Amino acid sequence: MNLRKLGATGPTVSAIGLGAMGMSGMYGPSDRRESIATVHAAIDAGVTLIDTGDFYGMGHNEMLLAEALKGVPRDSYQLSVKFGALRDAVGGWNGIDGRPAAVKNFVAYSLQRLGVDHIDIYRPARLDPDVPVEETVGAIADLVAAGQVRHIGLSEVGAGTIRRAAAVHPVCDLQIEYSLVSRTVEAEILPTLRELGIGMTAYGVLSRGLISGHWQAAPTGAGDFRAHSPRFQPGNVEANLRLVEALRAAAAARGATVAQVAIAWVASRGEDIVPLVGARRCDQLAESLGAAELALSPEDLQRIEAAVPAGAAVGERYPAHAMAALDSEDRGV
């Protein structure tokens, strides 16, 4: 596994990271034993960066990772943890809390659930509209000084917010959705990151399975986030799958799978970008990690982007209420 450095001040991590969210119910039921086996397989393959959130399964994901990583040398992997999303006992969402006192409360619980003495990258999951980002980042900076956090990250914020946060404390990376079908970051956010020496961890590189090459236009199960995703709705999903079929032809010409080509395309955008793959089964992980060996030529890239042109996807990446909460989607920033 090749390595990449997250920004000018961040850690050196595996060129592909593992996103663990799907192991805690966001895409329907998952198998605990298979999830743990997948984490083990990722570590064995040289994956060092593991991404989670304290609200994934209301703490379930962190406890799952604690079990999976028990006995693994702490200096052999990096934990990236998002915080701030408020949930209720039935899985509802109740906003974001970025207050300094809340930040220090959240980290205490995460350290306990994860069974570690520090978190490598700590980041607010979303911008709290009622708390200046300077206050939230300042609270994480206190945790860095205390040794409980090593680096500060951001998630789904726009260029203006990135600048304000970086003025308080060095930021190592921005976690944001970036894929062949989600490319709005290229206009302003990515240039801002590069100007400031901040890396990117890209999630949704397969658009939640939509461009994996395995998705069928069928109803999603109970508890599956995609049941409410605009891109998976009738009418939209069929149009989007036509893009996937065009991508399949480009992948076949390269002797790779659709998923591998989609992941490799994100990785090709720059050495400062680390794709996160959301595999929750060993077979999914094995296919995804094959992208690490796929060096795309200029001709490959031209063929891929002709198959899935920028802006070709039908439907937004989140439902309307969730899109409205994304600072990163504020076109006026």
Side-chain angles (χ1 to χ4, degrees):
M1 176 65 69
N2 292 325
L3 302 176
R4 293 187 170 187
K5 185 172 172 58
L6 283 180
T9 64
T12 297
V13 303
S14 52
I16 294 178
L18 176 65
M21 183 182 75
M23 299 177 183
S24 294
M26 291 297 290
Y27 298 133
S30 60
D31 181 271
R32 185 180 190 85
R33 183 174 299 177
E34 182 69 14
S35 295
I36 291 173
T38 302
V39 174
H40 291 168
I43 294 291
D44 290 344
V47 172
T48 69
L49 181 63
I50 302 175
D51 181 75
T52 184
D54 63 8
F55 50 92
Y56 293 169
M58 286 75 83
H60 173 275
N61 204 243
E62 290 180 321
M63 292 187 287
L64 178 74
L65 288 177
E67 182 179 350
L69 294 169
K70 187 175 182 179
V72 179
R74 182 63 184 90
D75 61 358
S76 68
Y77 63 90
Q78 299 91 20
L79 287 170
S80 167
V81 179
K82 293 182 289 299
F83 69 87
L86 303 177
R87 304 193 68 180
D88 59 31
V90 294
W93 300 87
N94 297 307
I96 296 291
D97 193 344
R99 295 172 300 152
V103 174
K104 295 174 182 181
N105 179 79
F106 288 136
V107 79
Y109 280 77
S110 283
L111 290 170
Q112 178 69 25
R113 284 189 292 259
L114 288 164
V116 297
D117 64 0
H118 71 275
I119 291 168
D120 298 280
I121 309 171
Y122 202 49
R123 69 183 82 245
R126 296 288 187 270
L127 181 67
D128 184 339
D130 299 321
V131 178
V133 70
E134 291 85 351
E135 294 184 15
T136 302
V137 171
I140 310 175
D142 291 342
L143 300 177
V144 173
Q148 296 168 1
V149 168
R150 295 286 168 83
H151 302 279
I152 297 178
L154 298 170
S155 177
E156 286 289 359
V157 293
T161 301
I162 294 167
R163 293 183 185 281
R164 290 169 55 195
V168 175
H169 188 281
V171 172
C172 74
D173 74 318
L174 171 72
Q175 187 172 120
I176 195 164
E177 186 167 355
Y178 188 30
S179 73
L180 278 165
V181 294
S182 296
R183 297 180 61 174
T184 57
V185 299
E186 295 175 340
E188 185 176 13
I189 292 174
L190 186 52
T192 299
L193 295 177
R194 288 175 170 162
E195 174 192 338
L196 299 176
I198 298 172
M200 178 194 291
T201 44
Y203 76 89
V205 292
L206 298 180
S207 194
R208 299 167 183 83
L210 180 63
I211 60 171
S212 67
H214 303 297
W215 186 263
Q216 301 296 323
T220 52
D224 193 322
F225 164 84
R226 293 167 293 196
H228 309 287
S229 173
R231 289 180 176 171
F232 288 85
Q233 299 309 303
N236 292 352
V237 70
E238 290 83 2
N240 291 328
L241 288 178
R242 286 193 288 273
L243 297 175
V244 176
E245 290 311 305
L247 185 60
R248 195 183 304 279
R254 189 62 177 79
T257 70
V258 175
Q260 288 167 347
V261 163
I263 296 165
W265 179 88
V266 175
S268 76
R269 300 299 86 194
E271 291 290 322
D272 52 352
I273 298 174
V274 174
L276 297 173
V277 298
R280 55 180 181 166
R281 300 196 316 264
C282 291
D283 61 325
Q284 293 174 330
L285 177 72
E287 179 183 11
S288 294
L289 293 185
E293 305 300 323
L294 191 59
L296 299 175
S297 69
E299 292 75 20
D300 294 329
L301 294 171
Q302 184 177 25
R303 191 179 297 115
I304 290 165
E305 294 184 19
V308 188
V314 181
E316 297 281 10
R317 58 193 181 101
Y318 284 103
H321 69 278
M323 288 294 291
L326 291 177
D327 182 67
S328 56
E329 291 290 337
D330 183 354
R331 302 300 198 271
V333 172

